[in-house]
Amino acid sequence: MLFRSWRTTSKLYEAAVTAYVVNFKDRLLGVTQGSGIQGNPTVLSNVGGVRTQGLEGALSVRLMPGVSWYNSLSLSNSTYRDDVVSKNASNQTTTVATSGKHVVDAPDQMVKSILSYDDGQCFGNFGADYMSKRYYSYLNDASVNGRVLFNLSAGLRTKQLGFLSEGSVQVGVTTLANKKYISTVGSNGFVNSDPKGTEQTLLAGAPRALFLSFSAKL
């Protein structure tokens, strides 16, 4: 594993960058036997090597008193290094050509941006969260699209509220645009190939939700 990290800070910003290369050897993977609805136990298999290369960065900027802007970026590339060879009960050999294929459920890009305000009494933030497409088949012929989610929250806090040293109320909205998206892939295991999209095991993301919360300190 190779790992390098740089960090800098000042009165106006904080920044960090990390680069890495990770090589897995003899990676063990639970391979589902048959369709998930059959309830067959998974078989622990050696799927060979996996290489992950990545770059991550974060930057937080103080735009003005009480206002800050946080951004983070993650770029990665994870691939299988070997084909998977298995034998059935009749001693017949099957080869799954996973060498060079992208690792399932591993997005290449993730971006997060949050604009925040806090003057001690009023506070709030507006955030965006992006994730690129993810594969759910080992041969990379089936995937789900990327998605962008927006969240918004605002609140008030006060000091010395009766017998409380501090109290606050906050209202927020998640999935602000009420976008339909896939949150989880491979919820019932991954398949070797699914070009027609008939063996999806996916979970839908949560719809738009409004929440109200109260907090207090004695």
Side-chain angles (χ1 to χ4, degrees):
M1 182 174 96
L2 299 177
F3 178 87
R4 293 290 185 272
S5 182
W6 300 267
R7 183 180 179 88
T8 181
T9 182
S10 75
K11 293 182 178 180
L12 297 179
Y13 68 87
E14 295 180 7
V17 177
T18 300
Y20 57 89
V21 177
V22 180
N23 289 307
F24 294 94
K25 293 183 178 180
D26 299 322
R27 189 168 185 261
L28 298 180
L29 183 69
V31 179
T32 302
Q33 305 300 300
S35 62
I37 197 172
Q38 292 177 294
N40 296 329
T42 57
V43 175
L44 198 62
S45 302
N46 187 328
V47 296
V50 173
R51 174 176 293 174
T52 299
Q53 305 173 81
L55 178 68
E56 296 183 358
L59 174 65
S60 181
V61 182
R62 300 173 184 86
L63 300 177
M64 61 181 68
V67 180
S68 63
W69 187 20
Y70 171 82
N71 297 275
S72 67
L73 169 67
S74 175
L75 303 174
S76 67
N77 182 44
S78 299
T79 55
Y80 298 108
R81 310 300 291 173
D82 303 281
D83 293 337
V84 177
V85 180
S86 61
K87 291 184 179 181
N88 58 21
S90 301
N91 206 34
Q92 294 176 320
T93 300
T94 301
T95 299
V96 182
T98 53
S99 179
K101 299 298 184 181
H102 201 284
V103 172
V104 294
D105 196 18
D108 282 343
Q109 300 98 29
M110 291 188 293
V111 181
K112 180 171 290 188
S113 183
I114 303 174
L115 183 64
S116 302
Y117 175 78
D118 192 334
D119 64 5
Q121 182 178 14
C122 300
F123 61 92
N125 64 68
F126 174 72
D129 189 325
Y130 167 76
M131 179 185 293
S132 63
K133 76 173 183 178
R134 291 164 289 165
Y135 294 103
Y136 67 85
S137 70
Y138 292 113
L139 295 182
N140 294 172
D141 56 8
S143 64
V144 298
N145 295 329
R147 88 301 185 269
V148 181
L149 303 179
F150 297 98
N151 302 299
L152 178 67
S153 68
L156 294 170
R157 71 169 63 90
T158 181
K159 304 290 185 180
Q160 298 300 326
L161 184 62
F163 63 91
L164 301 175
S165 62
E166 181 180 298
S168 66
V169 58
Q170 182 178 4
V171 62
V173 183
T174 59
T175 318
L176 186 62
N178 202 29
K179 181 180 178 62
K180 295 181 179 180
Y181 67 99
I182 300 299
S183 63
T184 303
V185 300
S187 58
N188 198 27
F190 298 100
V191 295
N192 291 332
S193 178
D194 187 25
K196 296 183 179 180
T198 58
E199 298 187 49
Q200 300 174 351
T201 54
L202 314 174
L203 297 179
R208 181 169 53 209
L210 175 69
F211 67 88
L212 179 66
S213 62
F214 301 89
S215 63
K217 294 181 180 179
L218 297 175

